[in-house]
Amino acid sequence: PRGGRLALARTDGAVEVYNFAANYFQEKVIPGHDARSVESLCWAAGDRLFGAGLGGDITEYDLSRLSAARGVDGGGGPIWSMVANSTGTQLAIGCEDGSVKIFQVVPGGIQFERNLDRRKGRVLCLSWHPSGTHIVAGSIDFFRVIDVTSGQTVQRIMVNHQVEKAQRECVVWAIALLSSGTVVSADSFGRVQFWDWQQGTLAESHTVSTSAALSLAVSEKEDSIVVGTSTGATYQLQLLPVKLGGLEKRWVRTKPFQFHSHDVRAVAHSPTALISGGLDAQLVIRPLMEKVQKKGYDTVLRKFTFPHRRLVSCARKARLLLFQFSQYLELWRLGSTEETGKDGEVLPLCRMPEHLVQLKSKGPEHIYCSCVSPCGTWVGYSTASRFQLYRVRCDG
């Protein structure tokens, strides 16, 4: 949140770290693992990175060795959400069994501290109050505010209360607790709602989408919110004065940004940009023009559609291509033609491309890097802990 790095999780369990200062360069990649799904990531205690997922473990990542350093069982089944407090000394996790648990971040790992009040229904999203006194936890049809010191639920608010005889359940996908005490919720009806939790009343409601609002992030000054929806659109809400120079302020929705083709599962709000990631496998960084002083790299819209490391290698002499996937490799022989032509023309093939071999990796670890030798007779690949070398013999 306050550092110069962005951590990103993929559906295959891989974790990537991007460096803002170095022009959003992809600095590190931690390869995935069959037993590790990552539902939420958070930085704590400065530059320590933690991930949690449906396996039920909280994992700390070793960013120098690019591997999962140590894991601790959360003790509440699959973990749907995890968030660190503002000082980075405590982690709260929301579990399948409806419990919210607090872990202390200690040198060399994390330590279980206590259970907070447990209610029925999985905890899909969490947010700390900036002061660390309260936690808000979102579930299906309701969210609740928990006092951290006593561990008790002090307010439970039904998000569907105003919908007459609601036929379908309303999932609270994302939630934020602002320093003013306002709770912001994003739900499966496509609404972003602002609640006064002490009174238990709805202050404002914005329907941003016809489908679900899946993710939200708040700026550090709490005057801007970015929301991701399941139609691929991202919205920005800004806290603006009703009259010029007046004290009264309202949340105003700006125009949608359609940068994704699928669900926007994750959003982040940096001081100068709105960042979103979706099921189309793209990372999009949209600069906030009013925050950037001079034109340059910082004012460019970025879409990361291609990987920053090599996933295809070529054996030039043997005319072979090796493609790397997370759990297998494919070796292809290129097609050939007898015609010649200008650059950009499509030539008729006298020989079609040929799929020679599919090589599956052994064990649960995913492939990190791979290569084929120039002569095409050797194929090597590496995981986090093993290196494998294969001899390829082509009969005919």
Side-chain angles (χ1 to χ4, degrees), residues 11-225:
T11 44
D12 67 347
V15 173
E16 300 168 13
V17 177
Y18 291 81
N19 191 335
F20 289 170
N23 196 14
Y24 294 100
F25 172 68
Q26 189 191 70
E27 209 175 44
K28 303 169 193 288
V29 177
I30 298 165
H33 192 283
D34 270 4
R36 221 172 42 227
S37 84
V38 188
E39 282 297 314
S40 49
L41 281 175
C42 62
W43 297 97
D47 54 358
R48 289 171 65 182
L49 182 62
F50 293 89
L54 302 182
D57 285 352
I58 304 169
T59 307
E60 181 171 358
Y61 295 100
D62 187 328
L63 294 178
S64 54
R65 293 184 176 185
L66 299 186
S67 62
R70 53 190 83 80
V72 174
D73 186 9
I79 298 169
W80 286 94
S81 50
M82 175 176 65
V83 65
N85 64 354
S86 57
T87 54
T89 53
Q90 289 174 309
L91 296 176
I93 60 166
C95 305
E96 175 79 24
D97 65 356
S99 62
V100 176
K101 300 172 192 292
I102 306 272
F103 286 80
Q104 193 82 27
V105 180
V106 294
I110 54 170
Q111 205 170 301
F112 175 72
E113 195 175 319
R114 56 193 297 216
N115 274 314
L116 303 182
D117 186 23
R118 180 177 154 193
R119 295 286 168 97
K120 200 176 166 194
R122 59 174 68 136
V123 180
L124 292 169
C125 50
L126 289 170
S127 176
W128 286 82
H129 189 269
S131 65
T133 53
H134 292 83
I135 288 177
V136 61
S139 297
I140 295 170
D141 287 332
F142 70 92
F143 68 83
R144 56 203 175 98
V145 183
I146 307 166
D147 186 306
V148 176
T149 37
S150 69
Q152 296 303 308
T153 299
V154 290
Q155 183 67 275
R156 185 174 181 273
I157 296 174
M158 299 295 292
V159 290
N160 244 1
H161 189 61
Q162 67 275 32
V163 181
E164 286 296 312
K165 298 189 181 68
Q167 296 299 310
R168 58 198 174 103
E169 60 188 20
C170 178
V171 183
V172 181
W173 281 119
I175 206 154
L177 180 51
L178 308 183
S179 51
S180 61
T182 303
V183 175
V184 190
S185 67
D187 61 38
S188 58
F189 287 7
R191 301 172 304 191
V192 176
Q193 296 183 308
F194 295 83
W195 306 82
D196 181 332
W197 73 263
Q198 276 153 333
Q199 308 293 328
T201 54
L202 178 65
E204 286 184 54
S205 180
H206 298 260
T207 303
V208 295
S209 174
T210 50
S211 57
L214 295 175
S215 48
L216 65 85
V218 185
S219 68
E220 196 176 346
K221 291 181 179 170
E222 297 189 351
D223 57 357
S224 170
I225 292 174

Side-chain angles (χ1 to χ4, degrees), residues 285-339:
I285 295 160
R286 183 191 156 263
L288 295 168
M289 298 311 259
E290 70 270 19
K291 305 280 187 192
V292 184
Q293 300 303 318
K294 58 181 190 293
K295 282 218 163 87
Y297 272 136
D298 298 340
T299 58
V300 182
L301 171 79
R302 294 137 199 271
K303 275 185 165 189
F304 294 121
T305 48
F306 288 98
H308 285 205
R309 60 208 176 98
R310 196 172 68 177
L311 299 177
V312 178
S313 58
C314 171
R316 298 183 76 146
K317 286 181 193 167
R319 298 176 59 77
L320 299 178
L321 281 182
L322 182 72
F323 296 95
Q324 175 189 319
F325 297 86
S326 56
Q327 287 172 287
Y328 61 91
L329 303 172
E330 280 189 0
L331 189 65
W332 286 75
R333 178 178 279 134
L334 289 173
S336 56
T337 182
E338 288 165 350
E339 307 285 323

